[in-house]
Amino acid sequence: MQILRKSEWEGFKKIFGMSRKEVIKRVKESGLKGKSGSNFPTGLKWELMGKGIRYLICNADEGEPGTFKDRFIMEKNPSLLIEGIAIASYAMDVHKAFIYLRGEYSYIKPKLERVIKQSEKYLKKINLKININLGAGSYLCGEETAILESIEGKRPVARQKPPYPSDVGLYGEPTCINNVETLANVPLIFLGKWNNKLELYSLSGDLKNPGVYEIETGTNLKQIVSLGKPKTEPKVIYFGASGGCIPYKKFENLSVNCKTISERGAMLGPRSLIVCGKDRSIVEFSKIITEFFLHESCGYCTPCREGNFRIWELLKKIEEGNGKKSDLKLMEKLAHHIGETSYCALGSSSTTHLKCAIKYFKEEFLRLCR
Amino acid sequence: MQIKINGKEVKAKEGETILEVARRNKIYIPTLCYHPDLKPEGRCRVCLVEVNKKLVTSCNTKVENKMEIFTNTKRVLEARRLNLELLLSNVSYIRKDFEVAKLAKELGIRKIRFKKYVDISKGRAPIEKDNHKCILCGRCVQVCQNIQKINNIDFVNRGIFTEANTPFNIPLKYSPCTFCGQCALYCPENALRERAFNEKLVKYVENMDLVRDNKFFIVQTAPSIRASLGEIFGMEPGTLVTGKMVSALRKIGFDKVFDTDFGADLTIIEEANEFVERIKKNKNLPLITSCCPSWIKFAEDTYPFLLKNISTCKSPQQMFGAIAKTYYAKKIGVKPENLIVVSVMPCISKKFEAEKLEMKSAGCPDVDVVLTTRELGRIIEKKKIKFAKLKDDEFDLPFGLSSGGGAIFGVTGGVTESALRVAYELLTGEKLKNVDFRQVRGFEGIRDANIKIKNKNLRVAIVHGLGNIREMIESGRWKKYHFIEMMACPGGCIGGGGQPRPTTKEIRKKRMDALYRQDKNKEIRVASHNPAIKKIYKEFLGKPLGEKSKKLLHTKYKKRRPKYF
């Protein structure tokens, strides 16, 4: 695997002699894009930083169900991540970086701290301090502006954009927020022989071999799923909780990248695939995911807070066999409504799964309706 | 820059929000959690508009050049209606006069398709909360955090279990809450509200004409409620309804209707004497006023080092109560426990003050029942009294007679002004020619002025709003003054927590003007010229700061410790 390559700070040594602008230019030319699902060009993000005391935050709050690629990197190759943070900090003139670690990953913290201590002589060269902040278990903290609130010690609620964090971020200063995988890829750019197309996929669900796989973008859906060795014939693929779903049979030969998936109503996001076997009920699965969002909604805005609860109620009614066709209609309307009017990205993506489910598996819902 | 709203070209400035531009051009967009005094947060999602085929909230989206905005497409209207429906699905019942009810009517919500799910929870502090009604608009949280800066309430829990609450669910009574009641004032749904002071007695007051039991009911009305009570009955903000209020109170069944302005006059004489004494001794300066119980609670909780500077005078309400239960009860031959003193206040904190243990001059509480302006309005409505058609009546003697100095107690700067009027005469021994101290009037959060009295330069400061008070104290500026007036609510009592909803800066300004108008029309402008005051000092109290007045009209403060940690 490319991401497991031991760099031993070779990439970091190479940036000396390069100016900050040159480093950013190199990253821009490499075509590295944000690996959290946003696909925003990383070099451009670094270039857009405003003036002031700058901060860098490594987003290690990997809360999306079915995603575990960041944990994989931090467990297997943490020094690559720290090196990436160091290079990014040099490029953006940052002297304070944060790793916002998910609360459930607290066992990784000592390991990261050890690596930071070991690499102190490199960090001292660019006068960089790295802090590790533990989250308290909120899914919303994966959203970049909610991280800022959380580090500041406030209740994690997404901020209104604009202003974007690159201008007004942590403590009102320009802040860059990058994913673990993105930053871990940075040193590899400078080492050479780096393949831009290789990305990490987290496969889980009804598989014999679930886990993290490194796959080139554009691979067939069938090929990806066959790596995990499905137990039974796959019926539907969920892209995490917020990414929606597509039926497997229909899109077997689809080459998987962001564009093709979003054209089909779903969202690839951080490339987590949850494979559901043929004996799974879509209605039950939708209810489980809705329960997840019910628990994780922050309660800030009306549509997400109240709407998801109402969807859960309606799903329960339908699952028990008491639903009517009008209930399904109301549910569909609510799903679109929440997607359109919610305050933050969590709210507006919280019903993607239901929209897709109704789009592709309407008969299954109708069969349960009276 | 030029933008288009519903196809119409409209001019806009940079940095304005869509809602501001639309309001200026008289294009209607419904709002719920938005309030002009507060920072727009976009929680309720009712003010949606369509921009670039996307739905955005107009309250916190800034305009951009050549933006095309649609405020009344079918998509927008449906989304707004569904959001309000979702909000209301959790509300127990809606009174017609709540903001939410008006909005529901506008958006055409007839039936709500969802069922309720939350239970009622009640606190025992002067403020209570009804989760059954709360729609989580977040106004109370913002007022507490951004305007009053107490930071006592925030949202707790997540998702559908979110509620506005104190940290670790501490009962309000034991929390640093000052009971200023601003959260209740800004609530669009009456979910946060004043607790009925003593439910038995309030029922008694409501049915006073039926059950009497040899009780003698008197009522005192605060200076600021006469400028705001009319709003409950559809009158313009700033209409003075003194006469109508008195006759309504008589109709409810009170034996005597008195004026807290009298208590205010008494307060100011005691306070001015205290001030002059401290100036002569040059000790414990600045003198900080003590009329506002929220401010007292705030100081006791947070700034105990200031307690020696605070005037020892009780508030006008308590002074009146003490005088009524001792002097007046004896005069009319009623036992103090049979004399029921009801006070109508613009304030929720006064309920807390009246419950204090030390406020017992004659063995029973000085003030038995405290009603807020809103509660009085509700009683008048319940009794089916047609308020607008009432004839004007006058206060009873002896405690109905008051000066203009007492009348302006309800507005920020008023206490300072009337204290200066009395202090001038005490310091110089001359009669004051121009009683208006215009330097101390105004609406800024922190104001100061230099007043020259007999070649002595007095530096006075006026602070209103707990947020401003905090700034004043923590910056250390308070040390350089001789006299500071502190009021917990923005605008003073006219913006108090018990006043009619809604409140905005314009409404508060109108109420303020009304009180200054009243002061101007009074014959007696200086408190010490009030014949009723002169009489009571002659017959009963002796002299200001004398033995009897120290016992009845002054109190002590103590440092409070949070009980819960």
Side-chain angles (χ1 to χ4, degrees), chain B residues 85-150:
Chain B
E85 194 182 335
L86 283 171
L87 274 177
L88 295 183
S89 63
N90 188 19
V91 175
S92 56
Y93 64 93
I94 308 162
R95 268 168 58 122
K96 269 183 203 162
D97 51 341
F98 296 163
E99 273 178 77
V100 172
K102 287 173 201 160
L103 205 59
K105 204 177 159 194
E106 269 171 30
L107 296 182
I109 293 177
R110 288 184 203 89
K111 200 186 144 205
I112 290 162
R113 288 170 281 184
F114 313 106
K115 279 181 199 152
K116 301 163 192 108
Y117 57 86
V118 182
D119 295 331
I120 277 191
S121 74
K122 273 190 181 174
R124 295 190 64 194
I127 300 174
E128 67 178 18
K129 197 179 136 240
D130 184 349
N131 277 347
H132 234 121
K133 279 185 185 160
C134 180
I135 55 169
L136 297 171
C137 66
R139 281 191 195 171
C140 51
V141 173
Q142 256 207 63
V143 170
C144 200
Q145 292 188 348
N146 297 348
I147 294 188
Q148 298 295 66
K149 293 185 185 161
I150 301 293

Side-chain angles (χ1 to χ4, degrees), chain B residues 60-234:
Chain B
N60 59 358
T61 307
K62 302 247 160 75
V63 288
E64 284 159 22
N65 205 4
K66 292 191 179 148
M67 211 180 207
E68 276 195 54
I69 301 157
F70 296 96
T71 63
N72 51 9
T73 57
K74 193 182 166 217
R75 194 169 155 220
V76 168
L77 294 177
E78 270 182 6
R80 278 181 197 158
R81 193 182 310 152
L82 193 51
N83 267 341
L84 193 62
E85 194 182 335
L86 283 171
L87 274 177
L88 295 183
S89 63
N90 188 19
V91 175
S92 56
Y93 64 93
I94 308 162
R95 268 168 58 122
K96 269 183 203 162
D97 51 341
F98 296 163
E99 273 178 77
V100 172
K102 287 173 201 160
L103 205 59
K105 204 177 159 194
E106 269 171 30
L107 296 182
I109 293 177
R110 288 184 203 89
K111 200 186 144 205
I112 290 162
R113 288 170 281 184
F114 313 106
K115 279 181 199 152
K116 301 163 192 108
Y117 57 86
V118 182
D119 295 331
I120 277 191
S121 74
K122 273 190 181 174
R124 295 190 64 194
I127 300 174
E128 67 178 18
K129 197 179 136 240
D130 184 349
N131 277 347
H132 234 121
K133 279 185 185 160
C134 180
I135 55 169
L136 297 171
C137 66
R139 281 191 195 171
C140 51
V141 173
Q142 256 207 63
V143 170
C144 200
Q145 292 188 348
N146 297 348
I147 294 188
Q148 298 295 66
K149 293 185 185 161
I150 301 293
N151 285 303
N152 193 39
I153 47 174
D154 198 344
F155 290 102
V156 297
N157 299 339
R158 302 197 290 221
I160 203 76
F161 305 109
T162 312
E163 55 173 321
N165 211 333
T166 52
F168 313 109
N169 291 6
I170 305 169
L172 271 190
K173 207 173 167 184
Y174 304 124
S175 73
C177 179
T178 63
F179 311 121
C180 67
Q182 287 297 310
C183 49
L185 184 62
Y186 279 84
C187 185
E189 253 291 84
N190 205 22
L192 272 163
R193 60 192 173 213
E194 59 277 47
R195 177 169 56 85
F197 180 74
N198 178 336
E199 280 171 34
K200 235 182 186 172
L201 272 172
V202 168
K203 279 219 174 101
Y204 218 50
V205 170
E206 281 174 6
N207 304 311
M208 177 157 32
D209 39 357
L210 305 175
V211 242
R212 279 246 101 108
D213 296 354
N214 65 39
K215 296 254 194 296
F216 193 80
F217 286 92
I218 62 171
V219 62
Q220 52 164 327
T221 59
S224 66
I225 71 165
R226 61 207 63 175
S228 63
L229 184 64
E231 288 166 35
I232 297 177
F233 307 98

Side-chain angles (χ1 to χ4, degrees), chain B residues 297-338:
Chain B
K297 170 103 193 316
F298 186 49
E300 285 180 334
D301 273 338
T302 323
Y303 303 113
F305 59 91
L306 279 177
L307 293 178
K308 64 178 190 329
N309 288 66
I310 298 175
S311 156
T312 56
C313 298
K314 287 180 184 174
S315 73
Q317 167 186 273
Q318 293 306 327
M319 282 202 180
F320 183 96
I323 294 290
K325 289 260 163 137
T326 51
Y327 169 75
Y328 188 68
K330 212 173 183 183
K331 200 174 170 188
I332 57 168
V334 177
K335 279 184 184 167
E337 53 273 23
N338 283 343

Side-chain angles (χ1 to χ4, degrees), chain A residues 25-287:
Chain A
K25 203 181 158 201
R26 187 80 186 274
V27 174
K28 250 173 116 178
E29 278 167 358
S30 74
L32 179 64
K33 283 180 178 175
K35 303 282 187 190
S36 62
S38 63
N39 273 331
F40 193 80
T42 309
L44 187 64
K45 198 175 199 172
W46 294 2
E47 208 176 50
L48 287 175
M49 288 281 281
K51 277 178 190 162
I53 307 159
R54 292 165 170 182
Y55 294 108
L56 172 71
I57 295 171
C58 167
N59 184 352
D61 190 271
E62 192 178 35
E64 188 68 44
T67 315
F68 34 81
K69 60 182 178 65
D70 293 349
R71 186 184 71 187
F72 179 77
I73 295 171
M74 288 187 286
E75 276 180 351
K76 305 277 180 196
N77 201 0
S79 69
L80 195 67
L81 171 67
I82 306 297
E83 195 183 332
I85 292 175
I87 295 175
S89 304
Y90 174 76
M92 287 181 282
D93 194 15
V94 168
H95 299 288
K96 179 115 192 168
F98 296 86
I99 300 177
Y100 189 85
L101 194 63
R102 187 182 171 188
E104 286 87 339
Y105 289 175
S106 55
Y107 70 97
I108 303 179
K109 197 183 171 193
K111 195 170 188 175
L112 285 174
E113 273 169 349
R114 210 161 52 233
V115 175
I116 292 170
K117 216 173 176 189
Q118 279 164 9
S119 43
E120 211 157 78
K121 65 172 180 184
Y122 299 110
L123 300 182
K124 255 187 189 164
K125 270 188 189 168
I126 54 169
N127 194 11
L128 175 68
K129 282 218 168 92
I130 302 179
N131 248 25
I132 300 178
N133 283 46
L134 269 185
S138 166
Y139 171 70
L140 185 61
C141 282
E143 212 271 353
E144 50 176 15
T145 50
I147 288 189
L148 303 178
E149 295 277 307
S150 177
I151 292 180
E152 285 178 15
K154 297 175 190 155
R155 181 184 168 86
V157 170
R159 290 182 186 172
Q160 171 83 4
K161 286 189 259 184
Y164 292 96
S166 56
D167 294 320
V168 182
L170 191 65
Y171 304 112
E173 303 290 348
T175 308
C176 178
I177 299 134
N178 278 131
N179 182 258
V180 170
E181 199 189 340
T182 321
L183 286 170
N185 268 308
V186 170
L188 301 175
I189 297 172
F190 294 91
L191 280 178
K193 285 189 199 164
W194 175 68
N195 187 352
N196 185 13
K197 281 188 175 169
L198 283 177
E199 285 175 325
L200 293 183
Y201 280 70
S202 326
L203 302 188
S204 58
D206 296 329
L207 297 173
K208 277 177 200 154
N209 281 345
V212 179
Y213 292 89
E214 199 166 52
I215 299 166
E216 268 194 32
T217 36
T219 315
N220 272 351
L221 186 62
K222 197 176 178 182
Q223 271 177 336
I224 297 176
V225 172
S226 67
L227 283 173
K229 293 187 182 141
K231 284 179 191 163
T232 51
E233 171 85 355
K235 175 181 174 188
V236 54
I237 313 288
Y238 275 92
F239 298 102
S242 66
C245 63
I246 55 169
Y248 178 72
K249 261 259 166 81
K250 201 173 168 192
F251 299 117
E252 234 175 9
N253 296 318
L254 186 76
S255 79
V256 176
N257 61 39
C258 283
K259 210 179 149 201
T260 52
I261 299 295
S262 58
E263 272 166 7
R264 278 150 189 86
M267 211 167 65
L268 186 57
R271 295 175 300 286
S272 54
L273 272 64
I274 304 171
V275 181
C276 297
K278 62 178 177 191
D279 44 353
R280 299 271 173 190
S281 155
I282 293 287
V283 180
E284 195 196 341
F285 219 88
S286 300
K287 204 183 119 206

Side-chain angles (χ1 to χ4, degrees), chain A residues 3-21:
Chain A
I3 205 79
L4 294 184
R5 209 166 137 192
K6 294 279 181 247
S7 157
E8 307 295 341
W9 291 83
E10 288 300 320
F12 182 73
K13 281 170 196 159
K14 283 201 176 152
I15 60 166
F16 282 97
M18 288 167 97
S19 71
R20 298 206 154 94
K21 269 187 186 163

